[in-house]
Amino acid sequence: RKEVEQDPGPFNVPEGATVAFNCTYSNSASQSFFWYRQDCRKEPKLLMSVYSSGNEDGRFTAQLNRASQYISLLIRDSKLSDSATYLCVVNILLSSASKIIFGSGTRLSIRP
Amino acid sequence: DGGITQSPKYLFRKEGQNVTLSCEQNLNHDAMYWYRQDPGQGLRLIYYSQIVNDFQKGDIAEGYSVSREKKESFPLTVTSAQKNPTAFYLCASSTSTGDQPQHFGDGTRLSIL
């Protein structure tokens, strides 16, 4: 089983729709969590960190469920510009260091 | 403006040739990372360094080498032993605490001639 798993998609939704995707992780020592956005042929860019209490940034809401070991990203009122690949990142605390693991990404395509 | 600079943006390698990808950061970050990304795939960790003069192998280190002589710089050499080097290479940095997000350079695309 992969340490971090994402549904690869693609998710194809109309503009204005609400879309959500999850990311599951297998290591209970996972400490911190992030969502990145990656546009085609570009570098990943931090979208938001994910806090235990859940957090919101405009149209984006991120949540963490430690009991079930997943994080989620909700995008409301989707825009054409939201089309991208969304990467889930998990930071696992090891005895002497931390290990950062990227999911393979979920592709989102917003249609007019 | 602080950031990470990768160069070159595009690089072509001949058979049997070693090539070096540059990564420089002025964010005063202790940790630096190299990833490889193949089309339609996620990021795979090649090497990382948490402090000057120290680095660790990632998941796919074979055929690659790195150095960390300065805090700001973490060059990656793709050696001739790497038989399938064509990929998008991304350098990242972060604070050493590990609970902070990584910042990425804009990548180098390497192809074989």
Side-chain angles (χ1 to χ4, degrees):
Chain A
R1 182 184 172 190
K2 287 184 182 177
E3 289 185 277
V4 175
E5 292 201 70
Q6 293 183 252
D7 183 338
F11 284 60
N12 189 321
V13 302
E15 195 173 6
T18 295
V19 60
F21 14 89
N22 287 345
C23 166
T24 59
Y25 60 95
S26 59
N27 194 320
S28 58
S30 299
Q31 181 187 34
S32 50
F33 309 87
F34 309 96
W35 282 104
Y36 279 75
R37 171 199 169 118
Q38 186 175 26
D39 293 289
C40 187
R41 301 177 71 84
K42 298 284 189 182
E43 76 278 17
K45 292 187 178 175
L46 179 68
L47 180 64
M48 57 200 305
S49 302
V50 186
Y51 303 120
S52 297
S53 55
N55 48 300
E56 189 174 305
D57 182 2
R59 298 181 294 108
F60 298 84
T61 300
Q63 290 194 310
L64 166 64
N65 185 319
R66 285 195 183 273
S68 300
Q69 295 189 185
Y70 73 86
I71 65 172
S72 63
L73 179 68
L74 178 81
I75 306 175
R76 288 183 299 278
D77 187 25
S78 53
K79 312 290 183 192
L80 295 176
S81 58
D82 294 333
S83 297
T85 296
Y86 291 84
L87 303 171
C88 160
V89 180
V90 174
N91 192 347
I92 300 171
L93 183 62
L94 304 174
S95 56
S96 60
S98 60
K99 181 179 178 183
I100 298 170
I101 302 175
F102 281 76
S104 299
T106 297
R107 281 201 297 136
L108 174 64
S109 178
I110 308 297
R111 63 179 187 269
Chain B
D1 264 353
I4 301 178
T5 302
Q6 287 188 242
S7 63
K9 197 172 179 69
Y10 299 95
L11 186 59
F12 297 92
R13 195 193 89 168
K14 295 180 183 177
E15 290 284 341
Q17 186 183 40
N18 292 355
V19 291
T20 297
L21 284 59
S22 169
C23 178
E24 304 277 331
Q25 54 99 0
N26 59 6
L27 298 165
N28 200 33
H29 284 167
D30 288 310
M32 297 186 74
Y33 311 82
W34 274 106
Y35 294 93
R36 169 182 172 138
Q37 188 175 36
D38 293 283
Q41 304 294 314
L43 279 66
R44 292 187 290 168
L45 183 64
I46 304 173
Y47 268 97
Y48 65 99
S49 167
Q50 296 191 304
I51 197 168
V52 175
N53 291 323
D54 186 53
F55 49 82
Q56 309 295 330
K57 291 183 179 180
D59 301 317
I60 54 164
E62 187 174 347
Y64 300 96
S65 66
V66 293
S67 63
R68 186 86 188 276
E69 296 175 4
K70 297 187 299 181
K71 186 175 185 178
E72 304 79 27
S73 179
F74 191 40
L76 173 75
T77 296
V78 184
T79 74
S80 56
Q82 173 49 248
K83 298 305 180 190
N84 184 22
T86 298
F88 187 38
Y89 290 87
L90 288 157
C91 178
S93 71
S94 70
T95 62
S96 61
T97 56
D99 61 348
Q100 296 300 310
Q102 294 181 337
H103 298 262
F104 284 85
D106 54 9
T108 293
R109 292 199 177 274
L110 176 62
S111 302
I112 293 185
L113 281 177

